Every structure is written in C-alpha cells, then in structure tokens.
Amino acid sequence: MEKWSLMTITVLLGLIVRWTVSFGSYSGAGKPPMYGDYEAQRHWQEVTYNLPIKQWYFNTSDNNLQYWGLDYPPLTAYHSLLCAYVAKLINPDWIALHTSRGYESQPHKLFMRATVLIADLLVYIPAVILYCCYLKETSTKKKIASALCILLYPSLILIDYGHFQYNSVSLGFALWGVLFLSYDWDLLGSLAFCLAINYKQMELYHSLPFFCYLLGKCFQKGLTGKGLVLLIKIAFTVVASFAICWLPFCTEVEQILQVLRRLFPIDRGLFEDKVANIWCSLSVLIKIKNVMSPQTQLKLSFAFTFLTLLPACIKLTLQPSLRRFKFALVSCALSFFLFSFQVHEKSILLVSIPVCLMINEIPLMCTWFLLVSTFSLLPLLLKDGLLLAYVVTTLAFLTVCATSFSIFEKTSEEDLQLKSLSLSIRGYIPSFRAFPKIIKSLFIVSVTLMGILTLMSATLTPPQKLPDLFPVSVSVVSCLHFLFFLTYFNAIVLWDSRNGRNQKKIN
C-alpha cells in the first residue's frame, strides 16, 4: 500500500512539473506565416475535421501541404480528429477551415496543453509506473526513484509541453510493448508496438530489436513446433494491426503511395537544422549535401546505419533475452539517430526512453546520456524561449538521479557493466583497471563543457562571420558524446555473457 501511495506522489510531482512547463512559450508563438509545431498540431485538427479522409495527405485547394501538411501515420491523424471533435464543442473557431490559421488565445493554449497531459495520463505515465513497480530484485525505494527519474526526464517534458508535440503517445505505446514482452505476452507486445509505429514512423528506430527478439524466441521454441505457431500468430497480429489502422486509406493504391510519400520525404535531404548526428557534424568540414546526390546520401546513410546496428541485432536474435533486448533498443535507436537519413533533433527521444528503462541498472551512464540528450536540444529550446525551463528541469533531474542512485559511487567495473570487457583487456594488459577513473573524469569534463556551452549560447552573440557558431558547437559536442555512448552500449552487448535470467527485469 505504501508503495502505491509513493507512486501516486511521484506521478503528481511529474504532472506538476509538466503543467508548470506548459505555461511557458511554445514553438512559433506569434511568428507568422508558418508559426511552429503548436500550429502544426492545431492545423492537423483543422484538416482532419473539415476534409474527407481521402484528402488528408493530398495537396488540394483546401489542404496546402506546404503549410504544415500532415506527414505522420494514420493514428496521428485519428488522434488529431478526436481532439478536433472536442475543440469543435468548445469553440468552432479553433478549427475553422482556412480562417483558423495561426489561431492563438489563452483558452486555446489551455486546451492544447490539456490534450498533451491527457495523452500522457492515458498512455505514457501508466506504462512507466507499471514498468517500475514490477522491477524484480529491486527495493521499493529504487522503484520509486526509477519512476521519478523517468517522469522528470527533461527532454520529453520540454519537447511535448514546451515546444509542443505528442511524443509521449508513440513512446508510451513502445513502452507498453516492452512491458508486455517482459511478461511473455508477445502478441500484446507486438500490437502495442504496431500502434507506436502507426502513430509516428520514427518508431522504426526500435523495429529491429522487437523483430529480432521475437524471431529469436521463435527460433528457441523451434520453427517446426511451438516456434512456428508463435511466428504465425505474431505475423497475423502485425498484419491485422496495420490493416485496421490503414483501412480507410486502402481504397486506392495511390492513396497508400501518397501517405508513404508524406511519411518518408526523401527530397528533404540528409538532415534538418543543427541535429547532433554524424552527417550534420561532418558538414562543418565537408558540405555533404552539395557534393553528393540525394540518392547517394540515402545509400550511404543506409549502409552506415545497417553496419552499426548489425552486431547487436545478430546477438539478440541468436541469444534473445530481455536484458539484451533493452540494450539493443538503445544501440539500434542510437545508430539510426547518428547515421540514418532525414533525422530531426527531437528523434533523440527514441534513444533516451530505452536508456531511462536502465537507469536502475547503470545509473551513472544513463544519467550522463540523458543529460547530453537534453543538452543536444539546446539550440531548439533557445529558439522557443525555453532556457529557464531547460536549466531548472535539467538541474532537478540531475539532483534527483544523484541523490536517488548515488551515481558518483556507482563507478566500479561491475556498476558500469564493463567487467567482461575489462577481463578481455586484462588478457593483454594485466594491470588494466582504468575504466572507473576514466568514466568519472570524462563525466566531470562533459558536464563542465555542457555548462560552459549553455552559458555561452545564452549570453554571447556569435561573430557575424559565424552566426551558427554556438548551435554547431552544441551539435558537434553532442555528436561526439553519442558516438562514445554507441561504443559503450555495443561493448556491453557484445561482451555480455549472461543470459539475462538473473538480471533485474520485469517479473
């Protein structure tokens, strides 16, 4: 009973922080003609309510795709339609066709913020609480601490409640998928993940770990017996889920093709804005977009993404376990973020949420990664006027993690989960025991550097010849961090000799 009371308090604290951040600025406020993501979400409500389904993804006189055209899968469109019905009851002007463009008022802002909070309460927060409550071999204190740290993770709060999006819906569905697979409810896990992909196509970052884990389970059971039955059931669940979600668009082949073109716009280029991935960072030295055709960029990004995620996927398929599954979610999503085509800075959330799930196991490294992921969004947050919210939520998150998990004391080889790698290295260098000191020193240097760059970005004016000096610096520094973390998480996966049965996992 005490555990659930503490969890309730934890949820309330998370909600208070979310609602407080929502009172600040949002993307594109008062900045015509395009405004920002807040207007995009409102505009999708306008489009889905006033136009027939067959026009939602097509460019027409009533639906100018250049003005925040719908570019997410059907579940996002249905969610926008549901919100539009409620908006219509409150004030029809909010979603009036054409005349509602750029609509801004306090009541409407309150309504939009409330829709994000309700989505959080219905999808994301319950999954977080259930995941943490049923962590095995973990004290109640650590369960509460894990839930609090996950709910206070700054990036998701700042993007959904500050910048304004609904990332918690797709991430919440994916988290439900992880939760169901932890119970061996493979069909429900498959269904939940299908919902995640059909809400935001970026959930494809997680698709290979889900696929490899379930395929590995089928191999373990035997593809001539129970494994084959399970594989058929999973395949049917996936096909049925997609068929239901896409049914209104299956009337014509051109409808399906148009939706796919909107979901995967190859003509937009390799990356957008100052994203902390390898292509944006390399563009400081080599203007990749100018020296390579879009087709070559696409092939190059595919090759690098595939090669970097392959080791974790192979090991997960051959030796499936929940532990390897969670690490593969991180490794594969980070490979996609660093090397894939058309990456947005907000896509780092797809790496961060799986990292959040392991904060109880590797507190220092997970806290460090989550701090870097929030720092990587600094240029976007400054543009949206969210500096104060960024500083306060980041410091609060670091304080909670440091006090709850004593992160500065969890630096042994066992705590860092580098024991196997250390033993391998000691086979060649017997005296090697440097990992704890190296990690501790790097963490201190990293946090100091991020603090300095944050201060400079917020207070100094860049030289006229280098107007993007600070955003590019943030992106490059963050990218170097992410490359380090990709190496770290892959090292754990590849040198892990445990089968996961004795790991802290969901019962």
Side-chain angles (χ1 to χ4, degrees):
M1 191 68 182
E2 180 186 0
K3 179 176 73 174
W4 289 107
S5 299
L6 291 172
M7 278 295 184
T8 302
I9 295 172
T10 299
V11 171
L12 288 175
L13 183 58
L15 292 176
I16 290 170
V17 172
R18 282 162 165 74
W19 196 244
T20 303
V21 170
S22 72
F23 283 114
S25 181
Y26 55 83
S27 172
K31 296 178 182 177
M34 293 299 291
Y35 301 94
D37 274 8
Y38 177 94
E39 167 62 10
Q41 305 295 336
R42 188 217 58 78
H43 180 63
W44 293 346
Q45 295 175 21
E46 170 195 346
V47 167
T48 54
Y49 185 85
N50 290 287
L51 301 181
I53 289 180
K54 64 181 182 179
Q55 293 184 23
W56 286 359
Y57 292 91
F58 280 88
N59 195 54
T60 66
S61 57
D62 290 326
N63 185 22
N64 180 9
L65 294 182
Q66 297 301 312
Y67 184 81
W68 298 117
L70 192 58
D71 55 4
Y72 283 127
L75 275 187
T76 290
Y78 303 150
H79 181 205
S80 296
L81 180 60
L82 179 62
C83 292
Y85 274 109
V86 179
K88 177 73 173 180
L89 294 174
I90 301 172
N91 187 343
D93 292 341
W94 292 351
I95 56 166
L97 191 62
H98 302 310
T99 59
S100 62
R101 281 194 179 186
Y103 192 99
E104 295 178 328
S105 70
Q106 281 303 120
H108 185 252
K109 181 180 176 181
L110 181 65
F111 166 75
M112 294 291 280
R113 298 302 195 191
T115 60
V116 179
L117 191 66
I118 291 170
D120 242 0
L121 281 168
L122 292 177
V123 182
Y124 181 73
I125 292 177
V128 170
I129 297 304
L130 287 175
Y131 177 88
C132 294
C133 278
Y134 294 101
L135 281 169
K136 211 177 177 188
E137 300 175 18
T138 306
S139 66
T140 298
K141 180 182 176 182
K142 289 294 177 66
K143 292 176 181 179
I144 301 298
S146 298
L148 184 59
C149 290
I150 296 173
L151 291 179
L152 292 184
Y153 169 53
S155 293
L156 184 58
I157 297 173
L158 293 169
I159 293 300
D160 276 13
Y161 290 86
H163 181 79
F164 198 88
Q165 286 188 340
Y166 296 93
N167 292 289
S168 60
V169 178
S170 58
L171 293 170
F173 281 136
L175 187 49
W176 277 107
V178 174
L179 189 63
F180 288 138
L181 293 189
S182 302
Y183 278 99
D184 286 327
W185 295 344
D186 298 327
L187 300 186
L188 284 176
S190 302
L191 172 62
F193 185 62
C194 287
L195 294 177
I197 292 179
N198 279 291
Y199 192 88
K200 284 202 172 184
Q201 65 270 34
M202 284 78 77
E203 276 296 331
L204 288 170
Y205 283 28
H206 297 146
S207 58
L208 280 174
F210 271 88
F211 173 79
C212 293
Y213 175 70
L214 290 170
L215 183 63
K217 286 188 71 173
C218 293
F219 284 152
Q220 276 189 338
K221 292 175 181 291
L223 285 182
T224 56
K226 292 182 178 180
L228 179 60
V229 174
L230 177 60
L231 184 62
I232 293 172
K233 288 181 178 178
I234 292 172
F236 176 79
T237 301
V238 171
V239 172
S241 303
F242 271 81
I244 293 172
C245 289
W246 286 69
L247 188 61
F249 302 95
C250 292
T251 54
E252 299 175 14
V253 174
E254 183 57 27
Q255 276 279 343
I256 299 175
L257 293 177
Q258 176 63 10
V259 176
L260 291 175
R261 283 192 287 265
R262 293 297 299 165
L263 300 188
F264 304 104
I266 296 175
D267 57 335
R268 285 188 186 178
L270 194 55
F271 59 87
E272 289 191 9
D273 295 327
K274 302 299 182 290
V275 60
N277 77 348
I278 195 70
W279 307 122
C280 181
S281 299
L282 283 177
S283 291
V284 176
L285 303 174
I286 306 169
K287 301 301 179 185
I288 299 175
K289 290 184 176 181
N290 296 335
V291 299
M292 293 183 186
S293 66
Q295 290 74 21
T296 304
Q297 295 172 31
L298 182 62
K299 293 174 183 177
L300 183 67
S301 63
F302 174 80
F304 272 89
T305 305
F306 180 75
L307 290 174
T308 53
L309 57 76
L310 194 60
C313 289
I314 291 175
K315 186 147 190 180
L316 180 61
T317 305
L318 298 177
Q319 300 173 351
S321 72
L322 285 171
R323 169 186 165 79
R324 292 195 184 98
F325 172 56
K326 288 191 288 185
F327 276 104
L329 285 172
V330 175
S331 176
C332 291
L334 192 48
S335 292
F336 270 101
F337 180 81
L338 283 169
F339 299 107
S340 67
F341 194 86
Q342 245 301 298
V343 175
H344 295 257
E345 63 271 69
K346 298 179 286 292
S347 298
I348 195 62
L349 295 173
L350 294 154
V351 190
S352 300
I353 298 307
V355 171
C356 284
L357 301 183
M358 296 185 293
I359 199 165
N360 183 56
E361 298 180 38
I362 325 173
L364 174 61
M365 298 303 289
C366 290
T367 300
W368 186 6
F369 178 90
L370 296 172
L371 290 174
V372 176
S373 69
T374 305
F375 170 72
S376 72
L377 296 168
L378 180 61
L380 176 67
L381 299 175
L382 287 174
K383 190 187 300 182
D384 291 340
L386 294 168
L387 175 63
L388 179 60
Y390 161 75
V391 172
V392 172
T393 54
T394 300
L395 290 176
F397 175 75
L398 177 58
T399 302
V400 170
C401 291
T403 54
S404 299
F405 293 107
S406 304
I407 60 174
F408 302 113
E409 299 172 13
K410 305 281 188 180
T411 57
S412 68
E413 291 177 347
E414 290 82 0
D415 291 324
L416 298 173
Q417 303 207 11
L418 295 173
K419 184 71 173 178
S420 298
L421 177 58
S422 296
L423 290 173
S424 298
I425 294 175
R426 282 200 282 273
Y428 301 94
I429 310 174
S431 60
F432 182 83
R433 285 177 172 79
F435 275 135
K437 290 182 179 178
I438 292 173
I439 295 297
K440 218 170 187 177
S441 300
L442 287 175
F443 177 79
I444 294 171
V445 172
S446 168
V447 171
T448 304
L449 180 58
M450 288 190 290
I452 292 172
L453 274 175
T454 298
L455 186 62
M456 292 174 67
S457 300
T459 60
L460 299 181
T461 303
Q464 288 186 350
K465 293 183 178 180
L466 299 170
D468 294 328
L469 175 63
F470 297 134
V472 169
S473 298
V474 169
S475 297
V476 172
V477 168
S478 301
C479 179
L480 292 174
H481 277 84
F482 293 145
L483 286 170
F484 164 73
F485 282 110
L486 180 65
T487 304
Y488 169 76
F489 285 114
N490 272 320
I492 294 178
V493 171
L494 296 178
W495 269 269
D496 178 30
S497 58
R498 291 172 283 186
N499 62 8
R501 292 176 185 172
N502 299 319
Q503 301 310 306
K504 295 175 184 177
K505 62 183 182 180
I506 305 295
N507 183 357

